[in-house]
Amino acid sequence: MSTFQHIKGTFDILPDAYTIGDTRIAASHEWHHVETVLREVMTRHNLEEIRTPMLEPTELVARGVGEHTDIVSKEMFAFERRGTRYVLRPEITAPVTRAFLEHHLEQRGGVQKLFYIGPCFRAEQPQKGRYRQFHQFGVEIIGASDPRTDAETIATMIAVYQAFGLTGARLRINTLGEPEHRAAFRDALVDYLTPYRDELSETSQRRLDTNPLRILDTKVEHERALLRDAPTLLDHVDAEALAHYDAVKQLLSSLGIAFEEDPMLVRGLDYYSHTAFELEHDALGAQSALAGGGRYDGLAPALGHDGPLPACGFAAGMERLFLALDAIDYDYPAPETPRVFFAALGKEAEAWVFKTVHDLRAQGIHAAHDLKGRSLKAQMREANRQDAPYTVIIGGNELADGSAQVKTMATGEQTAVSFEDLADYLSTPPAA
């Protein structure tokens, strides 16, 4: 009988880093560090954390992501039980909006500035940096239509990557205007592409009928060449939308944030409006996107709300962040090690060590000891492996004297410390 293995497209997060194929899977203390930095950045930007269930109604995702998107048609983990349809969330913006509406977060007053970190699920073909269970972090600012909201969302996104010293990322931006502008652009794009239908890939032909704006995302070179002369959204937006876009650009410039205007950058869903943006980095190769987002005032009505709800946000992949950090040889902090390792000689000493270790832990001291009854030599090897600055050896003589010999591992110096003073002594790091 063979043992079980992880499901393809998923991975375990272990105490040590390891590789699957040519992809490095970060260690648990590295994940903890990255999440800590993310939370620090979000807190500085006055954001509060929100956590939504991984299980959501299928209809929420279908409305929120779009019936004709690949996510809904091909990539959802969905099932039905007792007449109710469920899905493992493939993204988190729609669940956050659902939670905002359900719990009437507008009643808290002011603009709701929210962030999240958590797993998502898509039944797509696994490849480097893309998994069936992956992790996203993101920001949703709900309740303000001012261009400063768009610029602040982008600035927060940029600040995350700056906090890790990740330079060289490119910010692309565009305006989508209002829904009626997008509708006019969609018609113009369909008119332009229809004569070339037979030259399009099967995917783009399908999108021409269902979601033509997604064709602008194509990576097929001859399709990209066709699109060079295609109409652009900027040709269809009105003066008010251009004023919003200009204000966002001026605000970004005032913060020293460089950007490239890309008229082909769109969001394929109808509820997006005005600002769209994407952050890319060459370290990720052909799939270069680190994060992306935009304004989505029309999502709440798509979920049943009685009118537009101004909102802007971004989403980013944790796994793609780790790939980018690996590319720059990011220096993760070392994992925390015990302050002290106790080695015991004999059953009586083991009992004393067991109780003392737990007493010290209750006082906030990171303490370790042996649980296998090994020899002193083996226990000292374990003390070295765990890299504790102090080691305490307890045997019959120490129990009789009521005093421990505390060895400073860096120098080899030993100091006699009474049991009563042991906690205070161990609370102080060894002298450098």
Side-chain angles (χ1 to χ4, degrees), residues 227-260:
L227 290 169
R228 290 189 188 116
D229 295 323
T232 68
L233 260 166
L234 276 174
D235 298 328
H236 294 81
V237 300
D238 63 14
E240 186 176 350
L242 286 174
H244 184 103
Y245 184 44
D246 287 340
V248 172
K249 291 188 290 183
Q250 290 170 14
L251 289 162
L252 293 176
S253 295
S254 74
L255 297 177
I257 296 175
F259 55 83
E260 303 170 10

Side-chain angles (χ1 to χ4, degrees), residues 135-403:
H135 301 77
Q136 279 192 344
F137 67 92
V139 162
E140 315 293 355
I141 302 180
I142 306 175
S145 57
D146 192 289
R148 287 175 295 174
T149 305
D150 309 40
E152 180 150 323
T153 303
I154 294 171
T156 304
M157 178 183 69
I158 298 293
V160 166
Y161 296 97
Q162 288 178 337
F164 292 102
L166 191 63
T167 59
R170 298 186 310 280
L171 173 64
R172 297 189 297 129
I173 64 172
N174 192 23
T175 180
L176 308 179
E178 294 288 356
E180 59 269 24
H181 306 147
R182 288 165 56 85
F185 170 62
R186 174 191 169 115
D187 292 342
L189 185 62
V190 170
D191 289 343
Y192 173 80
L193 288 174
T194 297
Y196 303 105
R197 184 184 187 94
D198 292 342
E199 299 179 40
L200 300 178
S201 65
E202 182 180 339
T203 298
S204 291
Q205 287 182 13
R206 186 178 70 252
R207 288 173 173 172
L208 187 61
D209 297 326
T210 60
N211 198 355
L213 270 61
R214 286 295 310 279
I215 298 175
L216 300 179
D217 295 331
T218 182
K219 301 299 187 288
V220 180
E221 192 53 43
H222 79 269
E223 292 183 344
R224 294 175 68 89
L226 278 177
L227 290 169
R228 290 189 188 116
D229 295 323
T232 68
L233 260 166
L234 276 174
D235 298 328
H236 294 81
V237 300
D238 63 14
E240 186 176 350
L242 286 174
H244 184 103
Y245 184 44
D246 287 340
V248 172
K249 291 188 290 183
Q250 290 170 14
L251 289 162
L252 293 176
S253 295
S254 74
L255 297 177
I257 296 175
F259 55 83
E260 303 170 10
E261 294 186 69
D262 184 352
M264 293 298 172
L265 176 63
V266 297
R267 290 286 176 261
L269 306 178
D270 290 341
Y271 58 71
Y272 278 100
S273 60
H274 292 291
T275 312
F277 55 88
E278 196 160 281
L279 192 67
E280 299 180 335
H281 201 286
D282 290 337
L284 299 179
Q287 298 290 333
S288 59
L290 279 172
R295 176 165 286 281
Y296 55 93
D297 298 359
L299 176 56
L303 302 183
H305 187 58
D306 57 351
L309 177 65
C312 189
F314 77 84
M318 293 283 285
E319 287 79 6
R320 302 189 73 74
L321 172 56
F322 279 110
L323 284 176
L325 295 179
D326 287 346
I328 64 169
D329 294 322
Y330 183 76
D331 187 17
Y332 293 97
E336 183 180 337
T337 59
R339 174 62 60 87
V340 57
F341 184 91
F342 282 83
L345 298 173
K347 294 297 182 183
E348 188 177 0
E350 286 177 356
W352 184 92
V353 164
F354 184 81
K355 183 178 187 308
T356 300
V357 162
H358 284 272
D359 289 343
L360 292 173
R361 290 169 177 169
Q363 297 175 66
I365 296 173
H366 185 170
H369 66 114
D370 178 63
L371 290 171
K372 298 180 71 172
R374 291 179 288 185
S375 67
L376 178 60
K377 183 177 181 181
Q379 290 184 70
M380 293 306 293
R381 282 201 302 268
E382 180 65 14
N384 283 321
R385 187 190 73 80
Q386 296 209 25
D387 200 25
Y390 293 122
T391 297
V392 176
I393 302 173
I394 298 294
N397 292 337
E398 287 74 23
L399 293 176
D401 294 343
S403 179

Side-chain angles (χ1 to χ4, degrees), residues 107-153:
Q107 295 179 3
R108 300 179 73 219
V111 177
Q112 300 306 301
K113 299 182 61 180
L114 308 170
F115 79 93
Y116 58 80
I117 304 173
C120 297
F121 306 85
R122 293 185 189 176
E124 61 182 346
Q125 182 61 33
Q127 53 186 287
K128 188 168 185 176
R130 301 180 72 174
Y131 299 89
R132 289 173 176 167
Q133 177 177 324
F134 58 100
H135 301 77
Q136 279 192 344
F137 67 92
V139 162
E140 315 293 355
I141 302 180
I142 306 175
S145 57
D146 192 289
R148 287 175 295 174
T149 305
D150 309 40
E152 180 150 323
T153 303

